[in-house]
Amino acid sequence: MRDVAVIGVGMMKWGELWEKSLRDIYVEAALNAIDDAGVDRVDSLYIGCMSGGLFNGQEHLGSLMADYLGLGPLPAVRVESACASGGLAFRQGWMEVASGISDVVLVGGVEKMTDVGGDEATYALSTAADQTYEGYHGITFPGLYAMIARAYMDQYGATSEQLAAVAVKNHLNGSNNPYAQYPHKVTVEQVVNSVMVADPLHILDCSPITDGAAAVVLCPMSMVSDLTKGKRPTVKITGSGHSTDTIALHARDDLTWFGATERAAAAAFKMAGRKPSDIQVTEVHDCFTIAEIGVTEALGYFERGKGAAAAADGLTAIGGPKPVNPSGGLKSKGHPVGATGVAQIVELVKQLRGECDDRQIAGARLALAQNMGGSGGSTVVHILEGE
Amino acid sequence: MRDVAVIGVGMMKWGELWEKSLRDIYVEAALNAIDDAGVDRVDSLYIGCMSGGLFNGQEHLGSLMADYLGLGPLPAVRVESACASGGLAFRQGWMEVASGISDVVLVGGVEKMTDVGGDEATYALSTAADQTYEGYHGITFPGLYAMIARAYMDQYGATSEQLAAVAVKNHLNGSNNPYAQYPHKVTVEQVVNSVMVADPLHILDCSPITDGAAAVVLCPMSMVSDLTKGKRPTVKITGSGHSTDTIALHARDDLTWFGATERAAAAAFKMAGRKPSDIQVTEVHDCFTIAEIGVTEALGYFERGKGAAAAADGLTAIGGPKPVNPSGGLKSKGHPVGATGVAQIVELVKQLRGECDDRQIAGARLALAQNMGGSGGSTVVHILEGE
């Protein structure tokens, strides 16, 4: 297998983009990534998208996007793993380059969620859960994560204020991200006094509904200097891990433990020859504040039950010992589900290149991205290393 | 890259399976494939499905199916390329084994289309077309293929009776396939006198709405003897090709030409070191009778404009010089869209092993599968070789 580099990244301002279509936003991010890489060819495409069908009445996204990007004909693969679709598309693109099948691969993620009403968007998202045992009984994702949060608070004595600290940190980070949907700062008081969505989760514990896209360009390490002429520091993919858990929450031994994250991270760390303490900057899947807390434990950053206190104590802040979600995370940057996993890579590549201005983690050389589907039913973890 | 073998195949009787759920039918086919392979482990899953969201209110199929198959946790990837989702899942599975990332990979395809009404199913299928330029104007797939058929008849003087010959042949073949949804024979008179769906396509020119699944097990050639103990003849994947075309029909220079098929086939033939005349048994994407005709031309089996006469003259019949769709094709076997591309591989592996009884192509050693998305917006071609 060949070593693989990320040589270009592209994003766009996320939000409620009513004046742009699904294909528009994908093409905008993809062209930004191609421009950043400076390549004049793409051999193959991967597209992460959770539900073009339910959100936009549009499947067959490989064919569509290759066509509208003006790059077709070429192999174009759409990959889906609910909210981990983007991370999984990145893994599949890495695999295609690593295998030697293609050299220059464009990986994009996209979701346009505001073309439907709120009820329809909630329904579309609920199809990431177990339809028979969860969805049909009326529970949606805020409810599922509320059960995780309630169990966590019960087992470990965590408080709503500790959960809120995750939102406060991520909005502070996002206030320095020009792409963020909600770049405003919030306080613990604002979070715990915001509308209750599913007890104990307030609306400011929840990530938003977002339109957005992100894209990256991959190539073999051996081709980097030819393709980029040394224009930017090189970022190498050194670890990739992917695992599943039971899709339904009730089937797990411990509601508070993200087992797929633990396993995907173990695989990525093993491939990279690294350990949790080596990682200097991390993007995780904070679809709800409790998710970031549980995930930082499953990644091995904090002991079981200590993630909430770690967030409240500032350990995951920029400037803290283990910065998490400098981009603002899903919470502030927004969460167009299929794009999220690719946007995490965009942020980490910029961090490793030192291009993040006021949210830069000084001297970051080792980075980790964790992207999660459903209530943890699937997870993809990648480790990136800068020069 | 490693050479890859197909060591197990599994199907089930296709039809309107109202007593079984989406997960039930996937698991049934997958267990049949695992049983056929005789393996006691699976390292990774690929699942082809076009729209679990619109047909079943269920996305996140990787997590769901790994869970319900009882094989999780493990990496599980859902792949979508409209009606070519199954073929593309097979290509991705091949890539994972070829790359060395995983050894034993289960590739399944599934679609359960009868849980919704006919109008909803037609809408769900229409999301494989260009929503903005085709779907929003009210055209659905019978209309798109009717335009292809009308253009073909105009350019080449083909007749409805020649188109009907494809349906007659495929239903005859399907009458010997125990898995076929419609295993009854039809006559040219019955086809041309059946209800007109979209002029010039009658209902018996169209493939049906189907519930079904299919699965195969892959491993590196180097592990075949250890895993299977020589129980079955070995089938090797020697060529894989994938390409796109414009998603919208109006954007093509020639409505009658399936360019993605031509390009995917060229890539597969090049990889295999084979040419069209080498292939002894073929499964193609006959979603409509005109599709099989156009595809046999794009594969290089017949000259441009000669495919209709070739079908009518029996050249593609079992016993003819270029047998196509011995399984009965989509027309008779049924077309659960995400499963179709995997079911083509199931049929060809059985043909190469000599297990097809009354529909066996005698002595077949080289086989080709062609699986197409939308009106040809994406196509995957594979070449398989037996012992």
Side-chain angles (χ1 to χ4, degrees), chain A residues 122-157:
Chain A
T122 300
Y123 168 71
L125 289 168
S126 80
T127 66
D130 187 314
Q131 183 211 48
T132 306
Y133 293 101
E134 296 179 321
Y136 277 0
H137 296 275
I139 197 161
T140 59
F141 276 97
L144 290 165
Y145 276 93
M147 291 202 288
I148 295 172
R150 181 58 67 204
Y152 187 94
M153 292 163 91
D154 182 60
Q155 283 174 228
Y156 302 115

Side-chain angles (χ1 to χ4, degrees), chain A residues 48-74:
Chain A
C49 181
M50 176 180 163
S51 196
L54 289 169
F55 285 115
N56 313 102
Q58 181 71 69
E59 308 279 13
H60 209 185
L61 298 179
S63 175
L64 178 80
M65 298 309 187
D67 190 2
Y68 276 83
L69 197 50
L71 286 175
L74 81 181

Side-chain angles (χ1 to χ4, degrees), chain A residues 204-229:
Chain A
L204 288 176
D205 285 295
C206 309
S207 61
I209 299 286
T210 311
D211 302 330
V216 302
V217 178
L218 310 181
C219 79
M221 281 294 285
S222 58
M223 293 177 62
V224 170
S225 58
D226 265 7
L227 286 169
T228 68
K229 318 291 182 206

Side-chain angles (χ1 to χ4, degrees), chain A residues 7-11 28-39 106 215-217:
Chain A
I7 57 169
V9 298
M11 277 228 3
E28 186 175 341
L31 291 179
N32 286 342
I34 291 168
D35 187 52
D36 185 58
V39 292
L106 175 68
V216 302
V217 178

